[in-house]
Amino acid sequence: MVRKGVVFRSADPTKLTDEGVAVMQKLGITHVYDFRSKMEFGKTPGTEPKEWEGAQRHYVPVFPGVDLSPEALAVRMRRFRDYTDGPEVG
């Protein structure tokens, strides 16, 4: 049962299937808030925001100028790891 005012969260809206869209429509979900930056979608096929009839997409990036895609975060973490390991002693 869905109550008015309940928020549904999705980790990766690009993986929403047509079957998933039908479920969202049945649940009465009419607004989708996309917090990703423009750098996080559109650079590879299939990462564009999913849209469907009856729902309105609101683009509200949390960090508009920062690439927080999984690939970019992996690079950041690798750099952090390399930095915190310190210089090689030899």
Side-chain angles (χ1 to χ4, degrees), residues 51-71:
E51 296 185 20
W52 63 90
E53 186 176 334
Q56 185 177 7
R57 181 177 165 264
H58 304 277
Y59 176 63
V60 287
V62 176
F63 301 105
V66 180
D67 185 357
L68 296 174
S69 64
E71 299 83 11

Side-chain angles (χ1 to χ4, degrees), residues 35-86:
F35 298 125
R36 300 174 299 160
S37 71
K38 285 188 179 182
M39 293 177 222
E40 290 181 73
F41 62 82
K43 60 183 171 184
T44 56
T47 59
E48 297 83 10
K50 184 77 169 185
E51 296 185 20
W52 63 90
E53 186 176 334
Q56 185 177 7
R57 181 177 165 264
H58 304 277
Y59 176 63
V60 287
V62 176
F63 301 105
V66 180
D67 185 357
L68 296 174
S69 64
E71 299 83 11
L73 289 175
V75 169
R76 260 188 209 170
M77 291 286 113
R78 193 171 328 132
R79 287 181 186 154
F80 178 74
R81 181 200 66 215
D82 292 346
Y83 175 78
T84 56
D85 284 345

